[in-house]
Amino acid sequence: MDDAALLRAYDEQLRTDAETPSAVSVERLGPLRLVTFRGRRGFVTYRDLGGVDAEEVRRLVAEGLARLTADPDITRIEWKTRGHDHAPGLHEALVAHGFVAGETESVMVGPLAGLAVDVPLPDGVTLRRVTAEADVRAMSAMQDEAFGEPVSEREADALLHRLSLDDGMELWVAETEGTIVSAGRLEPVAGSDFVGIWGGATLPAWRGRGIYRALTAARARSALAGGWTLAHSDSTEYSRPILERAGLRKVSTTTPYEWRR
């Protein structure tokens, strides 16, 4: 598949309800999907904006924000944008309504098999899949630390809720002497060819030692055993080169815009 075919598969198979499997609710507003998640979090996404002009974009942003914030329990909202969308004036409209642009990431798509390679681990580091509450909370806290965020019990609660749904999500960690140093999620997308490689985080002192590659390979082998063939990931500049070496290709970019009450 060339880059255009991979991007079509991404738009057609992933920009649907498959993008928000753990949603508490989903409301439609024209082309928008207004989503609420556990943990007092809102989310806005869409397949495309249907060729709208800048005036209509401003209206969609204003009304979408108003509908989500009408729920007093929602304290933060992410509006997910993609670099290849036709969305005139979207950045300006989001900023005008209090959204702040986050780090732009690469949308990586490609064959899953290229990720399933043998990677030597540093001495004393082991990989395993976790499901126990204590492990999930330790994993979530490590990810918050790796990303420079305050430790959030809400994020751990959301992961535990996902596990309770038994929807195929897998959590994997790398640890040494009982301490988790790297972690990530695997999210098979039902009815598609894709699995998502998400949440990859490694503590700074352990980066550059092959741990993320090994953790990704473990997730890829698990997904291949389940019959999936393609992988997708929104990747930081830490993980993008690793995925490129494994055959995934950058087909677009994605930038989250965050609003907080």
Side-chain angles (χ1 to χ4, degrees):
M1 299 175 72
D2 61 19
D3 288 2
L6 289 171
L7 183 58
R8 282 195 302 273
Y10 170 84
D11 282 338
E12 292 170 2
Q13 297 187 38
L14 298 177
R15 298 180 71 174
T16 65
D17 284 338
E19 191 175 3
T20 54
S22 59
V24 173
S25 67
V26 180
E27 179 184 357
R28 297 302 298 262
L29 172 61
L32 304 183
R33 296 173 63 248
L34 309 178
V35 183
T36 58
F37 290 114
R38 292 172 63 91
R40 299 182 292 178
R41 184 163 61 95
F43 184 74
V44 182
T45 187
Y46 37 87
R47 167 80 174 272
D48 61 63
L49 294 178
V52 297
D53 60 16
E55 181 179 353
E56 178 64 6
V57 166
R58 288 192 295 271
R59 186 193 70 81
L60 287 170
V61 170
E63 188 168 344
L65 179 62
R67 290 198 187 185
L68 284 171
T69 56
D71 180 350
D73 289 334
I74 290 181
T75 60
R76 56 199 175 109
I77 299 167
E78 176 186 338
W79 189 299
K80 186 177 179 71
T81 71
R82 274 84 167 192
H84 66 286
D85 285 343
H86 174 75
L90 180 58
H91 168 80
E92 292 78 7
L94 289 170
V95 170
H97 284 83
F99 285 86
V100 177
E103 179 184 358
T104 296
E105 298 184 338
S106 300
V107 176
M108 306 296 295
V109 180
L112 186 60
L115 298 172
V117 296
D118 292 326
V119 181
L121 284 164
D123 290 344
V125 175
T126 58
L127 309 180
R128 65 185 176 101
R129 182 179 170 187
V130 297
T131 57
E133 179 174 351
D135 288 331
V136 174
R137 292 195 181 279
M139 168 188 163
S140 181
M142 186 283 303
Q143 289 174 312
D144 288 337
E145 180 183 349
F147 287 126
E149 299 286 343
V151 173
S152 169
E153 291 297 325
R154 290 197 301 269
E155 296 299 331
D157 290 343
L159 288 173
L160 289 165
H161 175 67
R162 282 291 306 279
L163 285 174
S164 74
L165 299 177
D166 194 24
D167 62 3
M169 182 189 75
E170 299 178 9
L171 304 178
W172 287 79
V173 302
E175 61 187 353
T176 180
E177 298 181 350
T179 298
I180 295 173
V181 298
S182 184
R185 303 192 312 277
L186 176 72
E187 297 207 10
V189 181
S192 82
D193 300 316
F194 283 95
V195 294
I197 305 293
W198 294 106
T202 305
L203 292 178
W206 291 90
R207 291 172 186 163
R209 302 171 68 177
I211 297 174
Y212 175 80
R213 288 182 61 217
L215 201 60
T216 300
R219 288 178 283 172
R221 284 191 289 270
S222 180
L224 287 167
W228 280 272
T229 59
L230 293 174
H232 74 103
S233 178
D234 294 349
S235 298
T236 67
E237 286 305 293
Y238 290 115
S239 56
R240 178 191 54 77
I242 297 169
L243 298 179
E244 283 182 332
R245 288 195 293 272
L248 272 65
R249 300 203 286 278
K250 178 179 177 178
V251 297
S252 187
T253 59
T254 180
T255 304
Y257 284 74
E258 298 282 347
W259 177 92
R260 292 182 182 269
R261 191 180 290 278

